[in-house]
Amino acid sequence: MADAQEKPEVATEHEKVNGEAGHRDHVHSKTEALHEFREDEGYIVDTESGGDGAKLAKDGHTRLIPQPSDDPKDPLNWSWGKKHLILIIISLVAFLPDYGSATGAVTLIAQAAEWGMSPDEVNHSQAGNVFMLGAAGIFIVLFSAYIGRLPVVFWFMIASTATAAWCAGAKTFESFMGARILNGFFSTVTQAGGLMFIQDMFFFHERARKINIWAGFFIISPYMGPLLASFMLITEHWSVPFWVYTAMTATCLVLVALFLEETYYDRTIPADEQPPQGSRVSRLVGVAQWKSRHLRNTFSQAVWRVVSVVLKPTVFLSCVYYMLTFAWVVGINTTLSIFVTPLYGFGPKQIGFFYFTPIVAVVLGELTGHWLHDVLAKQYIRSHNGHFEPEVRLRAIYISTPLMIIGTVLVGQSLYNGWHYMVTSVTWGLYVYGIMVTTVALSSYCLDSYPEASGEVSAWLNFGRTLGGFIISYFQVTWATDEGAGLSFGIQGAIEAAAFLIIIGMVVWGKKLRVWAGPLNFVTN
């Protein structure tokens, strides 16, 4: 009888232990689902039978990663048209910050004359703007993890439109510089956080091509700005290019207000327990997301997400590499007009036409990337029984690096030796083509390595890219003038070559570093 009375007590304790174990298993399975793969085995992408019950793509053998829910509200289940409309909108918004930033690089001579300053002094507003393009990304993804994607984009775009108009209407340098710095902070919202939307809407096997589209917009933008501004300055005041930029920003704000959607969706919550979406306006301003705050990250968790991602060795190394290679986009942009004007007798009109070169190079890089990244991935998957490792993405940089090095060095030699302007044009194009391919490869690698941290990865890569531009903008003109274009650009090419050693190291030891560092164990994607 006594034994019989003790059994329920023992059983209760057993249930308690099992309950704790079950909770741990649930947490583990949730974080594993968010992470999408295991570091020790990579992604299992291809299966001929689908015998594990996984949902497959239309080809009948590509596993859908992540596995979509059965809820039509799940962004993975949205129509092709809706997904790509959102992709185009975030790409257009990502186009704006570098377009506006580079526009200032062309107007500074006219501004210096108007305000009685040297062009180098006016260029300080450019440096402040470029720095904010990177620093703001950290806050953008933090707010997005805490509040939601859509309201952050909406409110930042309102501020971006207002500060763009302030830039155009500024009457003093101090006013202009303040506007430029604030505009840099708010305008970069989807350039810094674009990978969040791509991760939310598209499957693993689709992402590289979508990243290629998104990256193409912000890689081409620092060349479109000077091109259009140069033509405007032939007959118009320097404020006109900024009023055009304001109109472009306002147009994107309207597109965001009308068509952009909240893409955050937690697939670990059953469809019948998902929080109500609320009205269009409530989602846009953030009221609907705030009501379901308890289902997302706390503020401290959102802060830790940002910090923990950059502590991962492969992410940190990727940011360092990107900083050392993308800096010269800004370096060439800020130097070229200074050299080609006396060397080739170019005026604003000729400089404007000259900027067609990098635009063509980006388009060619975009077309190449549309197939290159998938070809490299599929070749590896076929030869490794359907498995895929993120480091495969970096193989494309083996192709792009020689082009970037050759292009940078020969741009310097062309300017130093006075070679024909077509040589300068083609070699500049080689570098830009290479940086386009590199950007997609690096972004895809970091996203594949830590898919649950799409926003944080995007923000840190953006920070590395803009930090390099911020640093080089302070001394590039003086460096190239004092040392000569041949030597300064030659050193830049050598830095690119040295930075490539980071890529080789990650191709060889990247997986070991990821296994050692482990997944991020976030509570949400």
Side-chain angles (χ1 to χ4, degrees), residues 35-320:
H35 193 50
E36 297 183 2
F37 77 110
R38 293 179 58 179
E39 275 81 1
D40 56 350
E41 67 178 20
Y43 286 88
I44 302 175
V45 180
D46 197 282
T47 174
E48 291 298 334
S49 64
D52 59 355
K55 296 178 181 179
L56 306 178
K58 292 181 180 180
D59 61 11
H61 58 84
T62 300
R63 298 177 82 253
L64 295 179
I65 303 173
Q67 288 283 286
S69 67
D70 295 323
D71 186 357
K73 296 176 183 177
D74 184 345
L76 290 174
N77 294 327
W78 288 349
S79 68
W80 185 95
K82 183 174 183 177
K83 288 182 179 182
H84 285 81
L85 175 62
I86 293 174
L87 176 63
I88 292 301
I89 292 173
I90 66 166
S91 299
L92 287 171
V93 175
F95 175 89
L96 295 172
D98 279 3
Y99 174 92
S101 181
T103 295
V106 176
T107 61
L108 61 85
I109 295 176
Q111 290 169 319
E114 181 174 317
W115 293 326
M117 303 170 65
S118 70
D120 192 48
E121 289 174 319
V122 177
N123 192 48
H124 289 169
S125 67
Q126 178 84 355
N129 175 270
V130 170
F131 179 78
M132 281 301 183
L133 294 181
I138 309 303
F139 296 93
I140 288 165
V141 298
L142 190 158
F143 294 147
S144 297
Y146 183 63
I147 301 171
R149 285 40 160 162
L150 178 59
V152 171
V153 175
F154 176 67
W155 290 113
F156 268 62
M157 283 302 295
I158 288 178
S160 179
T161 304
T163 53
W166 181 6
C167 288
K171 300 301 181 183
T172 66
F173 172 71
E174 291 74 17
S175 176
F176 179 75
M177 184 170 183
R180 287 280 280 167
I181 291 172
L182 289 175
N183 184 255
F185 184 89
F186 291 109
S187 65
T188 192
V189 60
T190 68
Q191 188 181 92
L195 287 182
M196 289 186 293
F197 291 88
I198 294 173
Q199 163 71 15
D200 291 343
M201 296 188 297
F202 295 102
F203 297 106
F204 169 82
H205 67 281
E206 300 174 313
R207 288 178 198 155
R209 287 189 176 187
K210 310 313 172 186
I211 292 172
N212 193 52
I213 294 171
W214 166 70
F217 277 79
F218 68 76
I219 296 295
I220 205 171
S221 61
Y223 308 114
M224 287 294 294
L227 182 147
L228 297 179
S230 294
F231 291 133
M232 293 180 217
L233 289 176
I234 297 173
T235 58
E236 304 294 339
H237 187 258
W238 66 260
S239 62
V240 172
F242 282 102
W243 283 119
V244 172
Y245 171 58
T246 302
M248 294 167 65
T249 306
T251 301
C252 286
L253 171 60
V254 172
L255 291 174
V256 167
L258 293 178
F259 301 113
L260 194 64
E261 280 289 355
E262 176 61 64
T263 59
Y264 174 78
Y265 184 91
D266 190 345
R267 293 178 193 88
T268 65
I269 301 175
D272 58 354
E273 298 178 18
Q274 289 286 335
Q277 290 186 321
S279 67
R280 170 69 187 170
V281 174
S282 68
R283 294 196 304 275
L284 191 65
V285 300
V287 172
Q289 292 88 333
W290 185 258
K291 289 180 178 179
S292 59
R293 268 267 345 101
H294 61 288
L295 298 176
R296 286 192 300 278
N297 299 270
T298 65
F299 188 77
S300 60
Q301 287 173 333
V303 172
W304 176 243
R305 287 175 66 100
V306 174
V307 175
S308 59
V309 167
V310 79
L311 296 178
K312 296 296 182 183
T314 54
V315 176
F316 178 77
L317 290 172
S318 296
C319 293
V320 172

Side-chain angles (χ1 to χ4, degrees), residues 221-423:
S221 61
Y223 308 114
M224 287 294 294
L227 182 147
L228 297 179
S230 294
F231 291 133
M232 293 180 217
L233 289 176
I234 297 173
T235 58
E236 304 294 339
H237 187 258
W238 66 260
S239 62
V240 172
F242 282 102
W243 283 119
V244 172
Y245 171 58
T246 302
M248 294 167 65
T249 306
T251 301
C252 286
L253 171 60
V254 172
L255 291 174
V256 167
L258 293 178
F259 301 113
L260 194 64
E261 280 289 355
E262 176 61 64
T263 59
Y264 174 78
Y265 184 91
D266 190 345
R267 293 178 193 88
T268 65
I269 301 175
D272 58 354
E273 298 178 18
Q274 289 286 335
Q277 290 186 321
S279 67
R280 170 69 187 170
V281 174
S282 68
R283 294 196 304 275
L284 191 65
V285 300
V287 172
Q289 292 88 333
W290 185 258
K291 289 180 178 179
S292 59
R293 268 267 345 101
H294 61 288
L295 298 176
R296 286 192 300 278
N297 299 270
T298 65
F299 188 77
S300 60
Q301 287 173 333
V303 172
W304 176 243
R305 287 175 66 100
V306 174
V307 175
S308 59
V309 167
V310 79
L311 296 178
K312 296 296 182 183
T314 54
V315 176
F316 178 77
L317 290 172
S318 296
C319 293
V320 172
Y321 169 78
Y322 205 24
M323 179 185 71
L324 294 175
T325 51
F326 201 94
W328 318 123
V329 169
V330 177
I332 296 175
N333 247 9
T334 56
T335 308
L336 209 63
S337 61
I338 295 174
F339 278 95
V340 298
T341 298
L343 183 61
Y344 302 125
F346 282 2
K349 184 177 181 180
Q350 288 76 20
I351 291 174
F353 280 119
F354 205 63
Y355 272 93
F356 274 109
T357 294
I359 291 171
V360 172
V362 172
V363 172
L364 293 176
E366 165 77 28
L367 294 174
T368 302
H370 189 72
W371 288 280
L372 174 64
H373 304 285
D374 279 354
V375 166
L376 293 173
K378 289 177 180 178
Q379 185 277 329
Y380 184 91
I381 292 167
R382 281 195 304 268
S383 60
H384 289 79
N385 298 318
H387 286 245
F388 178 84
E389 298 290 350
E391 284 69 30
V392 176
R393 299 292 190 192
L394 299 176
R395 294 182 177 183
I397 301 180
Y398 282 76
I399 299 171
S400 61
T401 296
L403 300 177
M404 290 192 295
I405 295 172
I406 293 171
T408 304
V409 172
L410 290 184
V411 164
Q413 291 300 315
S414 298
L415 297 174
Y416 181 74
N417 295 303
W419 294 346
H420 194 277
Y421 66 83
M422 286 304 296
V423 178

